[in-house]
Amino acid sequence: MTAPDGSPGARIDRRFAADVEAHRRDAPRFCPACARDLGLANEFWEGDARRFYCWCASCDWTGEVTTTGDRAIGHEPEH
């Protein structure tokens, strides 16, 4: 598939452009366990809460991070 400018790649639906930008801006970038780059940050919604299911390829941590404006809230299972 080609983009509107003729370059190869997927076409971006303009209706979701703001959502794409918000995801790029808000997605967690670093692992809360080891502080290295995350391997995956998949966004989903639960009611009004935006959540990111994350996985770290370096330490194999998985968990959810919820954005709350200027802060991010994560959870850690009981040890």
Side-chain angles (χ1 to χ4, degrees), residues 1-78:
M1 180 179 267
T2 58
D5 65 359
S7 63
R11 217 173 56 166
I12 295 175
D13 188 331
R14 291 182 185 198
R15 295 174 295 172
F16 303 110
D19 293 332
V20 169
E21 182 54 37
H23 178 81
R24 285 184 186 143
R25 181 189 64 233
D26 299 337
R29 290 169 181 73
F30 303 104
C31 175
C34 72
R36 299 189 87 177
D37 291 339
L38 283 172
L40 171 78
N42 188 26
E43 184 177 0
F44 66 99
W45 293 265
E46 196 170 65
D48 290 336
R50 290 176 64 212
R51 298 184 188 273
F52 294 88
Y53 178 77
C54 303
W55 170 71
C56 177
S58 298
C59 71
D60 207 34
W61 174 86
T62 59
E64 291 178 12
V65 175
T66 303
T67 59
T68 61
D70 294 337
R71 253 185 257 188
I73 299 172
H75 77 278
E76 185 172 331
E78 304 250 352

